[in-house]
Amino acid sequence: MEIIKVNNYEEMSKTAAEYIIRKVRQFPEATFGLATGSTPVGTYKRLIEDHRENGTSYKKVATFNLDEYIGLSGENPQSYRYFMDSQLFNHLDIRKENTFVPSGSAEDLAGECRNYESKLKNHGGIDLQILGIGNNGHIGFNEPGTSFLSKTHIVDLADSTIKANARFFNTIEEVPTQAITMGIATIMQSREILLLASGEAKADAIGQLLGNGVNEQFPASVLRNHPNVKVIADKAALSASKVRV
Ligand code: F6R
């Protein structure tokens, strides 16, 4: 695992965006795995700026998002489909039909999980996966205790995740309690992974990630077994880590 230490959120976003832009230019048909949440917003802003200013094209790119809330349709402003459209896709020349987010409003949710896996397989898998990290070590919505062998599946969100995500909703009661998420095995099949972390709130999680041990109670620790992971973290996020970077 390579650790790239940066000063703050802005620098993390710039470093991640530059990395993604290089990938798209070298490999215009790349398939990206994408995350929602606060962490990648600054990165997405920079991709949009670069697209406007330098014309980097996403016409041949495909994207697969990590997760979606169950019970919310893509028109719901709290859904991750809506988030991705408004924060990124609507501002690039990417073809909407090449942007995949699991459907949280599918009637057959188990079928939706299987479908998502086969679509991903048909696209040849993920070249570069962007990840954030939950305070409890979740990646995607794979909460502590999730099997490392899991594929795309339905999860009950941990109370701490519901609390953390309540900031996007009017009341905590509105936060869905279930989601569809790519599994840990799905994420681990990505050829390359970029995990982003910023701020003191992530310090303990990053400390554990960079500490010792791989175990299912701390899902992100599985990344220690992946041959090609870069962690772009700012000073605050690295403040509880013992490793020297
Ligand atoms: C989002 C996702 C989550 C977030 C994590 C951190 O698609 O998969 O694992 O990356 O909850 O969220 P933020 O960035 O809001 O701190």
Side-chain angles (χ1 to χ4, degrees):
M1 200 145 51
E2 184 186 339
I3 302 152
I4 301 169
K5 185 176 184 176
V6 294
N7 284 314
N8 50 37
Y9 183 82
E10 281 309 308
E11 246 186 63
M12 178 198 74
S13 305
K14 182 168 179 274
T15 310
E18 283 170 356
Y19 197 85
I20 295 168
I21 291 162
R22 256 201 315 276
K23 261 277 132 85
V24 180
R25 294 221 181 120
Q26 279 166 1
F27 188 21
E29 292 177 17
T31 297
F32 290 91
L34 298 178
T36 58
S38 306
T39 308
V41 170
T43 304
Y44 296 159
K45 273 201 185 118
R46 283 170 186 273
L47 296 184
I48 295 166
E49 272 166 28
D50 165 75
H51 170 67
R52 285 199 183 126
E53 287 162 20
N54 307 314
T56 305
S57 175
Y58 294 77
K59 272 191 185 132
K60 295 181 181 165
V61 161
T63 63
F64 281 82
N65 263 78
L66 283 164
D67 38 23
E68 178 61 284
Y69 287 121
I70 287 180
L72 303 189
S73 80
E75 287 86 56
N76 188 313
Q78 313 288 7
S79 73
Y80 284 174
R81 160 53 78 182
Y82 191 97
F83 174 102
M84 289 309 300
D85 284 349
S86 54
Q87 300 286 332
L88 186 64
F89 302 146
N90 289 348
H91 312 284
L92 301 176
D93 62 348
I94 196 163
R95 294 168 58 186
K96 270 292 167 65
E97 62 268 33
N98 288 342
T99 66
F100 299 92
V101 180
S103 167
S105 56
E107 259 176 43
D108 173 10
L109 290 166
E112 174 65 12
C113 294
R114 285 192 299 274
N115 259 334
Y116 204 62
E117 284 288 329
S118 44
K119 279 186 217 157
L120 185 49
K121 203 167 163 207
N122 291 341
H123 271 81
I126 290 171
D127 295 301
L128 177 63
Q129 173 70 56
I130 310 301
L131 291 180
I133 185 169
N135 300 338
N136 62 1
H138 74 211
I139 48 174
F141 271 142
N142 294 290
E143 302 288 20
T146 305
S147 165
F148 284 171
L149 302 176
S150 54
K151 299 287 184 110
T152 300
H153 63 293
I154 297 163
V155 292
D156 292 327
L157 299 177
D159 286 345
S160 61
T161 301
I162 293 173
K163 273 188 201 128
N165 289 2
R167 68 190 193 279
F168 298 112
F169 293 80
N170 292 324
T171 64
I172 194 161
E173 287 74 30
E174 285 177 28
V175 186
T177 54
Q178 286 192 309
I180 295 189
T181 183
M182 266 187 210
I184 302 221
T186 322
I187 294 171
M188 286 294 278
Q189 275 166 6
S190 311
R191 284 178 270 284
E192 187 177 2
I193 295 176
L194 214 52
L195 183 140
L196 313 181
S198 167
E200 236 181 279
K202 298 294 165 73
D204 285 346
I206 294 296
Q208 275 204 66
L209 172 66
L210 305 182
N212 288 319
V214 173
N215 86 73
E216 290 180 349
Q217 289 312 316
F218 192 76
S221 65
V222 74
L223 300 174
R224 300 169 69 87
N225 290 340
H226 191 286
N228 197 357
V229 178
K230 291 183 177 62
V231 176
I232 306 178
D234 66 11
K235 282 182 183 162
L238 283 164
S239 60
S241 301
K242 295 197 180 74
V243 287
R244 290 175 69 88
V245 281

